[in-house]
Amino acid sequence: MKVAICPGSFDPVTLGHLDIIERASGLFDKVVVAVLCNMDKKPSFSVEERISFLKETTAHLHNVEIDSFDGLLMDFAREKSAVAVVKGLRAVSDFEYEFQMSMINKKLCPEVETVYLNTSQEYMYLSSSVVKQIASFGGDIRNFVPEAIHSKIVDRLTNM
């Protein structure tokens, strides 16, 4: 079974994230969407909330599992018997950072490959940070986040 890890903070999950997850699910037998527990960041949503959002928005993808991790991604990849890490790329700047990380990860865990999926054109500009900024000023984020979790995201971000 070919297992891939799709890591990220997903704070909150966007349609761009969902696009990458859906496409990865068509390429691998199993995709583990891994929510990063990063203590250096101050997330708007708890790890449990982000996991819940992802479970709700990926329920139609029967080969997708949602989990969380802290520590090294490559340790988590070994734990899940992953053969690949899937990363979405929006711009050249994403590639520069992700390329550096993939080289480090390759040294740590040579058996795991990094696979890049270009973000679909309609999501190239989209990030969780942009969604949070728009929502915090009362802007409409309906075209940026999954409908199933839209109201939960708006409720949190407009009341911060």
Side-chain angles (χ1 to χ4, degrees):
M1 177 184 286
K2 301 274 185 190
V3 177
I5 306 291
C6 192
S9 58
F10 305 103
D11 185 43
V13 63
T14 69
L15 292 175
H17 292 132
L18 195 54
D19 173 57
I20 296 295
I21 294 166
E22 287 174 341
R23 291 168 47 213
S25 75
L27 298 173
F28 295 93
D29 299 318
K30 180 178 179 182
V31 175
V32 179
V33 179
V35 177
L36 173 62
C37 305
N38 186 342
M39 297 311 210
D40 293 335
K41 290 186 176 183
K42 292 189 168 116
S44 299
F45 299 91
S46 70
V47 170
E48 294 77 18
E49 287 171 313
R50 290 179 274 159
I51 288 172
S52 175
F53 290 168
L54 283 160
K55 284 182 177 180
E56 189 170 351
T57 58
T58 62
H60 64 290
L61 302 170
H62 301 293
N63 64 334
V64 171
E65 170 187 318
I66 312 300
D67 204 343
S68 64
F69 76 102
D70 56 7
L72 294 174
L73 175 59
M74 290 299 102
D75 289 342
F76 185 76
R78 277 192 197 97
E79 177 186 318
K80 294 294 183 176
S81 301
V83 298
V85 170
V86 175
K87 300 296 290 187
L89 297 177
R90 293 171 296 187
V92 172
S93 58
D94 285 348
F95 177 75
E96 291 173 7
Y97 173 78
E98 295 300 346
F99 181 76
Q100 180 182 15
M101 293 308 300
S102 73
M103 294 295 102
I104 292 168
N105 287 339
K106 196 67 170 166
K107 288 287 188 190
L108 294 172
C109 191
E111 64 273 18
V112 176
E113 296 293 338
T114 299
V115 176
Y116 301 109
L117 295 179
N118 293 331
T119 303
S120 294
Q121 187 174 359
E122 64 265 33
Y123 304 122
M124 287 180 67
Y125 60 88
L126 188 56
S127 70
S128 294
S129 299
V130 167
V131 167
K132 289 191 276 192
Q133 185 175 26
I134 292 169
S136 71
F137 287 106
D140 185 3
I141 60 168
R142 200 168 309 277
N143 292 320
F144 309 135
V145 298
E147 184 179 341
I149 60 172
H150 173 265
S151 63
K152 295 172 190 170
I153 294 170
V154 169
D155 288 349
R156 171 66 52 80
L157 297 177
T158 57
N159 295 316
M160 290 185 79

